[in-house]
Amino acid sequence: MRDMFHEELEGINTSLLGMAALVKEALDQSCQALKNADLAIAERVIAADDTIDHTQHDLDARIINLMARQQPVATDLRTLVTALRISADLERMGDLAHHIAKLARMRYPNKAVPELLSTTIDNMSNASARIMEKMVTVLQYRDIARALEVEQDDDEMDKLHRSIISILLSDDWTYGIETAIDMTLLGRYFERFADHAVSISHRVYFMVTGDYAEEKN
Amino acid sequence: MRDMFHEELEGINTSLLGMAALVKEALDQSCQALKNADLAIAERVIAADDTIDHTQHDLDARIINLMARQQPVATDLRTLVTALRISADLERMGDLAHHIAKLARMRYPNKAVPELLSTTIDNMSNASARIMEKMVTVLQYRDIARALEVEQDDDEMDKLHRSIISILLSDDWTYGIETAIDMTLLGRYFERFADHAVSISHRVYFMVTGDYAEEKN
């Protein structure tokens, strides 16, 4: 039988997973809004960002409250501190999905992404969806092998990011400065999104093993 | 006379201030490297980023250790949790200074910033130095009035960021795509730097008053 503390800890884990599900939905929808210049979906993501922020506030308050009441040590304390950090990463990932949706809205009724970059950006959307899915598995099952996989997907994301810059600098780029600015920022949003997922995976890795996974820059 | 716990807490605050001093130095130097295309200074900032990361690791370990040993509640617990969050913001600010230095290095022996944007970027450098200085005062003296001022400086930073984009889109812009990409990212680094300073000021505000300062997007 589990004691009260571990029941509450499990509740906090469940809420973290719920928050991750919100971020996943925001990411999926913002990618869809971007691909199809879908204003309604973009607006939905933008409106939902508050929900993610409130979820974080509530969750953090519960974590701190549990620390104060139960005064955990060792592994339990480490788990709670890690939960605080993961919620901060998730909140930031929600912001980035929100930025992607805002770009889709700003360029509506046009598509924000020009034809020349549509495959690369689709690949970034797919990579971020894959990263998000693995990261949820890492959170849910503390799956260490999967945590290391997220890092490989992040390498893929970095490659895609570099290929955007190459395309922007090639003679094929005929879409002008404004779209180049949009694509520079969009590439950066996806790249940062993946970085936060890597950071969460590192945190879970550390929580489970007590060791730091190899840090990347 | 102060008890052992509060002595250790004060030690942690001193270390946070030390970390802020490292970030301030990294920012000052990266702005200098950018302005003068000074490779040696850029390299110094890039090399110093590891020091900031290690400082964060050590500091966080001490904070968690203190939590485990002393099991603080109420204000003391809130202070320690806030310290963890501030160290994360500072670490990220160090990364952003590092990115600025890397841009200076990448374009060396040329200046990364073209003449047309030099005043705007100087203004951003100055705004970020001002923000950093105020933020240190906020950390050191828990100065709430100053915490709210950081927010105003951040508004100034956002204006400067928008004016970069206007200039990039104007007919005066004759520096091509590559420099436009550089300036888009540079503007974003400064803007994010200021955001983290605002976030630290909010955290101190919350720690002192127990209320959230008005959140901005």
Side-chain angles (χ1 to χ4, degrees):
Chain A
M1 222 179 84
R2 318 210 68 175
D3 59 26
M4 180 77 96
F5 174 77
H6 286 95
E7 254 174 42
E8 287 192 54
L9 197 57
E10 203 159 297
I12 282 167
N13 259 328
T14 306
S15 297
L16 265 186
L17 277 171
M19 199 176 161
L22 289 176
V23 172
K24 187 180 184 322
E25 196 182 350
L27 173 78
D28 288 348
Q29 291 187 343
S30 61
C31 289
Q32 210 179 322
L34 193 68
K35 193 177 169 68
N36 307 322
D38 189 324
L39 184 63
I41 294 184
E43 295 284 13
R44 214 177 303 154
V45 179
I46 293 163
D49 195 46
D50 274 355
T51 315
I52 294 177
D53 293 350
H54 287 139
T55 306
Q56 191 205 6
H57 274 166
D58 288 351
L59 182 56
D60 286 3
R62 270 169 61 205
I63 294 169
I64 295 169
N65 184 279
L66 186 56
M67 280 179 178
R69 280 186 295 110
Q70 301 277 352
Q71 316 203 316
V73 293
T75 309
D76 290 337
L77 176 60
R78 199 161 68 185
T79 303
L80 286 176
V81 169
T82 302
L84 276 178
R85 288 169 164 163
I86 290 174
S87 88
D89 279 312
L90 286 172
E91 189 273 331
R92 189 67 204 141
M93 290 168 87
D95 282 347
L96 291 162
H98 178 239
H99 287 344
I100 294 170
K102 274 170 103 174
L103 177 62
R105 179 172 75 177
M106 186 161 63
R107 298 304 170 215
Y108 175 85
N110 296 315
K111 290 186 183 177
V113 179
E115 194 55 35
L116 183 63
L117 274 176
S118 67
T119 306
T120 312
I121 298 294
D122 279 353
N123 288 339
M124 280 189 132
S125 299
N126 295 337
S128 59
R130 219 162 44 229
I131 284 170
M132 191 69 215
E133 206 165 316
K134 284 183 188 167
M135 202 208 67
V136 169
T137 308
V138 171
L139 274 179
Q140 188 158 18
Y141 303 108
R142 306 202 172 170
D143 183 332
I144 294 309
R146 205 45 73 93
L148 297 174
E149 276 179 45
V150 172
E151 192 124 2
Q152 289 158 23
D153 288 312
D154 181 50
D155 289 343
E156 170 68 19
M157 188 67 103
D158 289 343
K159 261 186 224 156
L160 288 166
H161 189 220
R162 283 194 296 275
S163 85
I164 290 184
I165 305 290
S166 302
I167 293 170
L168 293 179
L169 295 180
S170 73
D171 291 338
D172 297 339
W173 185 258
T174 54
Y175 301 90
I177 299 275
E178 184 164 61
T179 310
I181 295 173
D182 285 354
M183 294 305 103
T184 301
L185 291 174
L186 183 60
R188 177 114 186 119
Y189 300 151
F190 276 114
E191 195 210 3
R192 292 294 303 151
F193 189 93
D195 286 344
H196 284 284
V198 169
S199 155
I200 290 175
S201 301
H202 279 170
R203 295 185 198 294
V204 174
Y205 187 96
F206 176 69
M207 191 171 64
V208 174
T209 67
D211 281 328
Y212 288 107
E214 199 62 30
E215 295 273 344
K216 296 197 331 160
N217 238 341
Chain B
M1 220 181 81
R2 316 211 70 178
D3 59 26
M4 179 78 95
F5 174 77
H6 287 94
E7 254 176 42
E8 286 192 52
L9 197 57
E10 205 160 295
I12 282 166
N13 258 328
T14 306
S15 298
L16 265 185
L17 277 170
M19 198 175 160
L22 290 176
V23 171
K24 186 179 183 322
E25 196 183 349
L27 175 78
D28 289 347
Q29 293 188 340
S30 62
C31 290
Q32 210 179 322
L34 195 67
K35 195 177 168 70
N36 306 323
D38 188 325
L39 184 63
I41 295 184
E43 295 283 12
R44 213 177 303 154
V45 179
I46 293 165
D49 195 45
D50 273 355
T51 314
I52 295 176
D53 293 351
H54 287 139
T55 305
Q56 191 204 8
H57 274 164
D58 287 352
L59 183 56
D60 287 4
R62 270 168 62 204
I63 295 169
I64 295 169
N65 184 278
L66 186 57
M67 280 179 176
R69 279 186 297 113
Q70 301 277 351
Q71 314 204 320
V73 294
T75 309
D76 291 336
L77 176 60
R78 199 162 66 186
T79 304
L80 286 177
V81 169
T82 302
L84 276 178
R85 287 167 165 163
I86 290 174
S87 87
D89 278 312
L90 286 172
E91 188 274 330
R92 188 69 203 139
M93 291 168 88
D95 283 346
L96 290 162
H98 178 239
H99 287 346
I100 294 171
K102 273 170 103 175
L103 178 62
R105 179 172 74 176
M106 186 161 63
R107 299 302 170 216
Y108 175 84
N110 296 314
K111 289 187 183 177
V113 178
E115 195 53 39
L116 183 64
L117 275 175
S118 67
T119 307
T120 313
I121 297 294
D122 279 353
N123 288 339
M124 279 189 132
S125 298
N126 295 337
S128 58
R130 220 161 45 230
I131 284 171
M132 191 68 215
E133 207 164 318
K134 285 184 187 167
M135 202 208 68
V136 169
T137 308
V138 171
L139 274 179
Q140 188 158 17
Y141 303 108
R142 306 205 172 167
D143 183 331
I144 295 308
R146 203 45 71 93
L148 297 174
E149 276 179 43
V150 173
E151 193 124 3
Q152 288 158 22
D153 289 311
D154 181 51
D155 289 344
E156 171 67 18
M157 187 67 104
D158 289 343
K159 260 186 223 156
L160 288 166
H161 189 219
R162 283 194 295 276
S163 84
I164 290 185
I165 305 288
S166 303
I167 293 170
L168 293 178
L169 295 179
S170 72
D171 291 339
D172 298 335
W173 185 258
T174 54
Y175 301 90
I177 299 276
E178 184 165 60
T179 310
I181 295 174
D182 285 354
M183 295 304 104
T184 301
L185 291 174
L186 182 61
R188 178 113 187 119
Y189 300 150
F190 276 114
E191 194 209 6
R192 291 295 302 150
F193 189 94
D195 286 345
H196 284 284
V198 169
S199 157
I200 289 174
S201 301
H202 279 169
R203 295 186 199 293
V204 174
Y205 187 96
F206 176 70
M207 193 170 62
V208 174
T209 67
D211 281 328
Y212 287 106
E214 198 64 30
E215 295 272 345
K216 297 197 330 163
N217 236 340

